Amino acid sequence: MGGVVVCQEDRWCPEAAWVARAAFPKGSLAMRVRDELGELSTGAECARLYPGRGKPAWSPGRLALVSVMQFAEGLSDRQTADAVRGRLDWKYLLGLELTDPGFDHSVLTEFRDRLIIGDTGIGLLDRLLGAVAERGLLKAGGRARTDSTIVLSVARQINGLVRLGKVLRAAVNRVAACEPGWLAGWAPDDWFDRYAIRFEDTRLPKEKTKQTELIERTGADGLMLLEAVHQPDAPGSLRLLDRVRTLRQMWIQQYLVEDGQVRCRDLKDRPPGAERLVTPYDTDARGSVKRGIFWDGCKVHLTETCEPDRPNLITHVAMAGSTVQDVRLVAPIHAHLAERDLLPARHLVDAGYATAREVVAARRDYKVHLVGPVLASTSWQARGGGFSQADFAIDWENRWVTCPNGATSSRWAEDRSQEGTAVVRARFPTAACRPCKAREQCTRSNSKWDMGRRITLRPQAEHEAIQQARAQEGTQEWKDQYAHRAGAEGTISQGVRAFGLRRCRYNGLAKAQLQHQLTATAMNFHRLDAWWTRTPRARTRMSHLAALRPTEQPRQQISGPCCFRRLLLGLLWPGMRGA
């Protein structure tokens, strides 16, 4: 039966509401969401989510609310369908009759696919934020903060040898499922013993030479399969299989052919981490490392408000590859918030987001003051007490630079850096730098004909912004202002501990993004519920030992084992504190 199907509109059932209030006299999260925000299951974005074919469907608006509540309570699809069928507070939220049978749990899987295809997952969060803004709990301006955390892929980590075998085995099994007759007539006899069972379940060699032989034999088998599926007499559908395309991509990255023999590439000859596959089951996952922690997956960036007189609500969720730098997300975050009229006046971020270019762009394009610690100069002059860029006077109008000893630059040229960004390169004449007594503090050039100092500057706006930021970071006013960013760590902790933020439920970046959009909306439900019930915010926890530290003794004076023993003795016997 073709055509667009519709369902009965969401309605309020007085009988179900009366029974729910009797069963929950103090209310619940689901009931307070309905009472405070009204009906959230309507809107143009919900109308676009109706399926085009099939029998009359459940309301997409209701399914969206069900999906958010699923993440709010950490339920599986089966548990969620049972909650819709049997829980009174959920029927109250959804406006269902007491006798409503609900739906089969498989509907949620199909509905998530529709959300991904229509890219409407963020619309659920925007719908909630719009309803909250109408009630005065969310406004533009004020403060906001952003932080990111790692997200582990649903596919487990595997080493290089097992990875190659699993990629080939996955491709062989997919070909066997699509064209069993063709594979049975072509595959070598030993393949049925070699790739019929899991690769990691076999007895892998421990000697380096035998491991190399196994890697090269696996590479030769994979190349043989790729050549076979691309033959004219092979079924054309095999070349389009996702696992076959993954096999081809992995083999290009890991192998090369020398003198007709398949060889494994050297580490330096392999593509960078941003392009390198780590598993055949999640081709969007990438390997990365941060502070000695290795993981396969992606990263999630959360932006939330942080005003004392309003609830802290997540206003933006962004997913990015694990190798994407945090600074690349600043402009998309501001663009998204600008479209929804939720731009903050001050945006608190860490050093990974705050660069001179982003500070200037945020102020110029969105009138947002990006606040974050700008990285200090890494030049040897700044580290060793020499003359850094901050010691030079720059005349942007006349296009010259003056050194601390009064010499002026002889050359000023606009150029591009290796990354393609605009820079200004200034150079001092050799005649001025050679006789200078402070030359060793300025340059280490030993060339007889080129002994002048060279300076590479950012454009004027960026240079002045970074100098101003570095000067303000030492003030108490800046420290008090930036202290509010620490709350982002609490948001990450809440998401990880209570909502499974750090582990993907599904394969692929698109599904992971939908998961975290639903998670952010669920976290907002809980935060709004805490605001409505006037639940106080948790304070920063402190260990019992830290709470006992004497206020009159500065922390920096406690160093070394002798001082530590003296502190413990002072805590136990105050009379010995001065001993």
Side-chain angles (χ1 to χ4, degrees), residues 336-378:
H336 178 91
L337 296 179
E339 292 178 0
R340 289 148 181 83
D341 195 22
L342 293 176
L343 277 174
R346 293 183 180 274
H347 191 181
L348 310 178
V349 295
D350 61 18
Y353 298 90
T355 64
R357 187 185 313 165
E358 298 304 326
V359 170
V360 173
R363 189 180 306 168
R364 180 190 64 238
D365 300 337
Y366 301 102
K367 304 299 186 293
V368 174
H369 186 197
L370 192 66
V371 181
V374 179
L375 296 179
S377 176
T378 58

Side-chain angles (χ1 to χ4, degrees), residues 67-347:
S67 300
V68 174
M69 289 300 299
Q70 175 184 7
F71 282 81
E73 300 192 10
L75 305 178
S76 65
D77 288 352
R78 289 182 182 272
Q79 292 171 333
T80 303
D82 291 340
V84 173
R85 188 177 303 110
R87 284 182 49 174
L88 294 174
D89 56 339
W90 281 44
K91 290 182 180 293
Y92 183 94
L93 171 65
L94 301 171
L96 298 177
E97 296 182 356
L98 292 175
T99 56
D100 194 295
F103 51 83
D104 187 76
H105 69 275
S106 60
V107 172
L108 292 174
T109 302
E110 191 270 339
F111 180 68
R112 285 194 295 268
D113 292 338
R114 276 187 276 159
L115 289 175
I116 294 173
I117 294 174
D119 194 20
T120 54
I122 193 64
L124 306 180
L125 178 61
D126 293 338
R127 178 70 178 168
L128 171 63
L129 296 177
V132 173
E134 292 176 359
R135 287 153 181 80
L137 296 179
L138 181 63
K139 299 179 182 178
R143 296 188 302 254
R145 55 197 177 200
T146 298
D147 202 1
S148 64
T149 188
I150 64 176
V151 179
L152 303 179
S153 172
V154 67
R156 66 182 179 88
Q157 284 187 326
I158 50 180
N159 62 36
L161 177 58
V162 175
R163 180 188 305 121
L164 296 174
K166 290 179 75 68
V167 170
L168 177 55
R169 182 175 180 274
V172 172
N173 278 287
R174 183 58 59 88
V175 172
C178 295
E179 296 290 342
W182 178 86
L183 184 64
W186 171 85
D189 294 338
D190 57 346
W191 277 34
F192 295 96
D193 296 329
R194 193 179 303 169
Y195 302 111
I197 61 176
R198 293 179 180 272
F199 195 80
E200 62 270 28
D201 292 342
T202 60
R203 188 182 297 274
L204 299 177
K206 297 182 179 180
E207 295 81 1
K208 187 67 176 179
T209 56
K210 292 186 177 181
Q211 288 181 358
T212 303
E213 293 177 0
L214 179 57
I215 291 175
E216 292 181 353
R217 186 184 67 185
T218 304
D221 291 346
L223 182 61
M224 187 188 307
L225 177 62
L226 290 173
E227 291 177 347
V229 299
H230 285 83
Q231 292 296 325
D233 57 342
S237 59
L238 297 180
R239 306 164 196 170
L240 303 178
L241 295 177
D242 54 349
R243 295 293 165 81
V244 173
R245 297 169 66 180
T246 301
L247 173 67
R248 182 176 182 274
Q249 184 178 356
M250 178 70 77
W251 255 233
I252 291 175
Q253 295 178 358
Q254 300 290 334
Y255 291 102
L256 54 84
V257 179
E258 291 182 346
D259 300 330
Q261 189 172 1
V262 179
R263 300 290 186 186
C264 189
R265 293 181 182 271
D266 294 333
L267 292 177
K268 296 182 179 179
D269 193 28
R270 296 175 188 174
E275 302 175 3
R276 196 182 310 158
L277 297 179
V278 295
T279 174
Y281 305 111
D282 189 356
T283 56
D284 291 334
R286 294 293 182 269
S288 187
V289 58
K290 183 176 182 180
R291 300 189 186 99
I293 299 176
F294 294 84
W295 86 94
D296 294 340
C298 52
K299 285 197 297 186
V300 59
H301 303 255
L302 299 179
T303 302
E304 66 170 358
T305 60
C306 51
E307 292 298 316
D309 58 340
R310 290 190 292 271
N312 295 343
L313 299 177
I314 299 174
T315 56
H316 184 265
V317 182
M319 297 295 299
S322 61
T323 59
V324 177
Q325 297 179 346
D326 293 347
V327 69
R328 297 181 178 271
L329 276 295
V330 176
I333 290 173
H334 288 166
H336 178 91
L337 296 179
E339 292 178 0
R340 289 148 181 83
D341 195 22
L342 293 176
L343 277 174
R346 293 183 180 274
H347 191 181

